[in-house]
Tab-separated table of all heavy atoms in Angstrom:
chain	number	residue	atom	x	y	z
D	111	MET	N	68.802	94.486	73.320
D	111	MET	CA	68.562	95.709	74.150
D	111	MET	C	67.036	95.569	74.703
D	111	MET	O	66.901	95.886	75.922
D	111	MET	CB	68.636	96.876	73.287
D	111	MET	CG	70.094	97.337	72.946
D	111	MET	SD	70.030	98.929	72.022
D	111	MET	CE	69.444	100.078	73.291
D	112	MET	N	66.170	95.222	73.861
D	112	MET	CA	64.810	95.289	74.347
D	112	MET	C	64.595	94.171	75.445
D	112	MET	O	63.906	94.328	76.366
D	112	MET	CB	63.786	95.065	73.184
D	112	MET	CG	62.353	95.295	73.499
D	112	MET	SD	62.053	97.015	73.855
D	112	MET	CE	61.822	97.706	72.202
D	113	ALA	N	65.334	93.082	75.204
D	113	ALA	CA	65.248	91.905	76.235
D	113	ALA	C	65.854	92.437	77.499
D	113	ALA	O	65.310	92.154	78.591
D	113	ALA	CB	65.946	90.706	75.667
D	114	GLU	N	66.843	93.253	77.383
D	114	GLU	CA	67.479	93.713	78.627
D	114	GLU	C	66.575	94.654	79.344
D	114	GLU	O	66.371	94.653	80.563
D	114	GLU	CB	68.831	94.407	78.378
D	114	GLU	CG	69.658	94.835	79.647
D	114	GLU	CD	69.949	93.590	80.572
D	114	GLU	OE1	70.194	92.525	80.003
D	114	GLU	OE2	69.874	93.830	81.775
D	115	ILE	N	65.905	95.559	78.509
D	115	ILE	CA	64.967	96.397	79.145
D	115	ILE	C	63.725	95.669	79.802
D	115	ILE	O	63.235	96.133	80.789
D	115	ILE	CB	64.501	97.455	78.039
D	115	ILE	CG1	65.630	98.323	77.716
D	115	ILE	CG2	63.244	98.174	78.466
D	115	ILE	CD1	65.450	99.107	76.333
D	116	GLY	N	63.444	94.502	79.175
D	116	GLY	CA	62.418	93.688	79.779
D	116	GLY	C	62.929	92.831	80.893
D	116	GLY	O	62.195	91.999	81.471
D	117	GLY	N	64.265	92.934	81.266
D	117	GLY	CA	64.756	92.106	82.338
D	117	GLY	C	64.938	90.608	82.037
D	117	GLY	O	64.701	89.776	82.905
D	118	LYS	N	65.204	90.302	80.801
D	118	LYS	CA	65.296	88.979	80.375
D	118	LYS	C	66.723	88.337	80.209
D	118	LYS	O	67.616	89.025	80.068
D	118	LYS	CB	64.510	88.778	78.969
D	118	LYS	CG	62.989	89.193	79.024
D	118	LYS	CD	62.287	88.280	80.015
D	118	LYS	CE	60.731	88.619	80.047
D	118	LYS	NZ	60.011	88.317	78.886
D	119	GLU	N	66.714	87.072	80.261
D	119	GLU	CA	67.937	86.297	80.314
D	119	GLU	C	68.745	86.644	78.951
D	119	GLU	O	69.953	86.572	78.983
D	119	GLU	CB	67.663	84.764	80.370
D	119	GLU	CG	68.785	83.946	80.039
D	119	GLU	CD	70.026	83.988	80.834
D	119	GLU	OE1	69.858	84.396	82.143
D	119	GLU	OE2	71.112	83.734	80.316
D	120	THR	N	67.978	86.860	77.905
D	120	THR	CA	68.567	86.992	76.562
D	120	THR	C	69.196	88.499	76.318
D	120	THR	O	69.725	88.746	75.291
D	120	THR	CB	67.668	86.752	75.479
D	120	THR	OG1	66.430	87.497	75.760
D	120	THR	CG2	67.212	85.300	75.268
D	121	GLY	N	68.976	89.255	77.411
D	121	GLY	CA	69.511	90.653	77.271
D	121	GLY	C	70.932	90.785	77.395
D	121	GLY	O	71.605	89.908	77.799
D	122	TYR	N	71.500	92.005	77.117
D	122	TYR	CA	72.915	92.239	77.080
D	122	TYR	C	73.413	91.909	78.503
D	122	TYR	O	74.660	91.460	78.587
D	122	TYR	CB	73.242	93.662	76.740
D	122	TYR	CG	73.438	93.875	75.281
D	122	TYR	CD1	72.403	94.392	74.508
D	122	TYR	CD2	74.614	93.556	74.629
D	122	TYR	CE1	72.526	94.575	73.119
D	122	TYR	CE2	74.761	93.752	73.304
D	122	TYR	CZ	73.837	94.230	72.520
D	122	TYR	OH	73.963	94.454	71.237
D	123	CYS	N	72.789	92.090	79.554
D	123	CYS	CA	73.328	91.869	80.933
D	123	CYS	C	72.540	90.791	81.662
D	123	CYS	O	72.458	90.799	82.758
D	123	CYS	CB	73.308	93.181	81.720
D	123	CYS	SG	74.151	94.549	80.719
D	124	HIS	N	71.865	89.963	80.809
D	124	HIS	CA	71.135	88.784	81.372
D	124	HIS	C	70.057	89.304	82.378
D	124	HIS	O	69.727	88.666	83.374
D	124	HIS	CB	72.026	87.836	81.990
D	124	HIS	CG	73.096	87.370	81.079
D	124	HIS	ND1	72.958	86.809	79.866
D	124	HIS	CD2	74.491	87.557	81.249
D	124	HIS	CE1	74.103	86.597	79.283
D	124	HIS	NE2	75.089	86.975	80.085
D	125	GLY	N	69.492	90.494	82.192
D	125	GLY	CA	68.389	90.873	82.931
D	125	GLY	C	68.826	91.674	84.263
D	125	GLY	O	67.935	91.984	85.018
D	126	LYS	N	70.153	91.768	84.509
D	126	LYS	CA	70.476	92.379	85.624
D	126	LYS	C	70.667	93.875	85.677
D	126	LYS	O	70.734	94.587	86.663
D	126	LYS	CB	71.853	91.727	86.259
D	126	LYS	CG	71.650	90.333	86.810
D	126	LYS	CD	72.963	89.747	87.288
D	126	LYS	CE	72.681	88.462	87.928
D	126	LYS	NZ	73.838	87.509	87.816
D	127	GLY	N	70.863	94.378	84.494
D	127	GLY	CA	71.085	95.799	84.314
D	127	GLY	C	69.861	96.608	83.977
D	127	GLY	O	69.618	97.608	84.549
D	128	GLY	N	69.199	96.165	82.848
D	128	GLY	CA	68.013	96.958	82.395
D	128	GLY	C	68.403	98.109	81.639
D	128	GLY	O	69.617	98.377	81.224
D	129	SER	N	67.454	99.033	81.433
D	129	SER	CA	67.600	100.164	80.567
D	129	SER	C	68.737	101.021	81.075
D	129	SER	O	69.464	101.536	80.244
D	129	SER	CB	66.235	101.009	80.726
D	129	SER	OG	66.507	102.349	80.136
D	130	MET	N	68.902	101.195	82.368
D	130	MET	CA	69.873	102.182	82.803
D	130	MET	C	71.272	101.655	83.160
D	130	MET	O	72.177	102.407	83.473
D	130	MET	CB	69.398	102.805	84.101
D	130	MET	CG	68.046	103.589	83.928
D	130	MET	SD	67.776	104.786	85.231
D	130	MET	CE	67.392	103.701	86.647
D	131	HIS	N	71.398	100.302	82.995
D	131	HIS	CA	72.664	99.719	83.263
D	131	HIS	C	73.135	98.811	82.136
D	131	HIS	O	73.642	97.634	82.379
D	131	HIS	CB	72.754	98.976	84.546
D	131	HIS	CG	72.320	99.820	85.713
D	131	HIS	ND1	72.813	101.012	86.141
D	131	HIS	CD2	71.272	99.642	86.525
D	131	HIS	CE1	72.271	101.498	87.161
D	131	HIS	NE2	71.278	100.720	87.440
D	132	ILE	N	72.876	99.131	80.957
D	132	ILE	CA	73.180	98.306	79.779
D	132	ILE	C	74.631	98.627	79.336
D	132	ILE	O	75.147	99.693	79.496
D	132	ILE	CB	72.157	98.499	78.657
D	132	ILE	CG1	72.085	97.288	77.798
D	132	ILE	CG2	72.527	99.715	77.815
D	132	ILE	CD1	70.900	97.260	76.943
D	133	ALA	N	75.388	97.557	78.986
D	133	ALA	CA	76.788	97.714	78.629
D	133	ALA	C	77.122	96.508	77.627
D	133	ALA	O	76.325	95.498	77.546
D	133	ALA	CB	77.622	97.567	79.844
D	134	ASP	N	78.137	96.795	76.838
D	134	ASP	CA	78.617	95.744	75.904
D	134	ASP	C	80.090	95.850	75.581
D	134	ASP	O	80.398	96.916	74.822
D	134	ASP	CB	77.759	95.667	74.617
D	134	ASP	CG	78.197	94.573	73.697
D	134	ASP	OD1	78.628	93.504	74.158
D	134	ASP	OD2	78.209	94.807	72.490
D	135	MET	N	80.909	95.102	76.133
D	135	MET	CA	82.366	95.288	75.948
D	135	MET	C	82.776	95.188	74.507
D	135	MET	O	83.684	95.821	73.931
D	135	MET	CB	83.228	94.473	76.813
D	135	MET	CG	82.903	94.625	78.308
D	135	MET	SD	83.080	96.361	78.798
D	135	MET	CE	81.546	96.589	79.563
D	136	ALA	N	82.114	94.376	73.749
D	136	ALA	CA	82.409	94.126	72.341
D	136	ALA	C	82.293	95.477	71.549
D	136	ALA	O	83.047	95.662	70.548
D	136	ALA	CB	81.544	93.007	71.743
D	137	LEU	N	81.301	96.328	71.844
D	137	LEU	CA	81.163	97.616	71.206
D	137	LEU	C	81.733	98.720	71.965
D	137	LEU	O	81.503	99.884	71.673
D	137	LEU	CB	79.597	97.841	70.978
D	137	LEU	CG	78.949	96.881	70.030
D	137	LEU	CD1	77.378	97.135	69.973
D	137	LEU	CD2	79.510	97.098	68.608
D	138	GLY	N	82.554	98.332	73.012
D	138	GLY	CA	83.226	99.474	73.785
D	138	GLY	C	82.362	100.273	74.654
D	138	GLY	O	82.621	101.284	75.106
D	139	HIS	N	81.070	99.669	74.981
D	139	HIS	CA	80.197	100.347	75.850
D	139	HIS	C	80.520	100.008	77.257
D	139	HIS	O	80.179	98.912	77.686
D	139	HIS	CB	78.757	99.999	75.461
D	139	HIS	CG	77.641	100.824	76.150
D	139	HIS	ND1	77.996	101.637	77.146
D	139	HIS	CD2	76.335	100.849	75.922
D	139	HIS	CE1	76.845	102.293	77.466
D	139	HIS	NE2	75.831	101.773	76.877
D	140	LEU	N	81.140	100.987	77.941
D	140	LEU	CA	81.588	100.650	79.307
D	140	LEU	C	80.466	100.849	80.303
D	140	LEU	O	80.629	100.834	81.530
D	140	LEU	CB	82.805	101.632	79.688
D	140	LEU	CG	83.974	101.561	78.756
D	140	LEU	CD1	85.111	102.525	79.147
D	140	LEU	CD2	84.542	100.098	78.661
D	141	GLY	N	79.229	101.194	79.756
D	141	GLY	CA	78.121	101.096	80.761
D	141	GLY	C	77.272	102.387	80.735
D	141	GLY	O	77.800	103.474	80.794
D	142	ALA	N	75.956	102.214	80.812
D	142	ALA	CA	75.075	103.273	81.038
D	142	ALA	C	75.072	103.440	82.582
D	142	ALA	O	75.350	102.540	83.360
D	142	ALA	CB	73.633	102.954	80.531
D	143	ASN	N	74.525	104.517	83.028
D	143	ASN	CA	74.655	104.907	84.507
D	143	ASN	C	73.439	105.514	84.967
D	143	ASN	O	72.914	106.415	84.335
D	143	ASN	CB	75.932	105.725	84.675
D	143	ASN	CG	76.603	105.406	85.963
D	143	ASN	OD1	76.103	105.531	87.107
D	143	ASN	ND2	77.747	104.889	85.842
Side-chain angles (χ1 to χ4, degrees):
Chain D
M111 283 183 70
M112 196 64 86
E114 187 59 38
I115 291 164
K118 297 300 180 70
E119 165 63 27
T120 51
Y122 270 99
C123 306
H124 310 302
K126 282 178 175 153
S129 168
M130 298 198 293
H131 308 300
I132 206 160
D134 179 36
M135 295 312 124
L137 291 174
H139 190 352
L140 303 181
N143 219 292

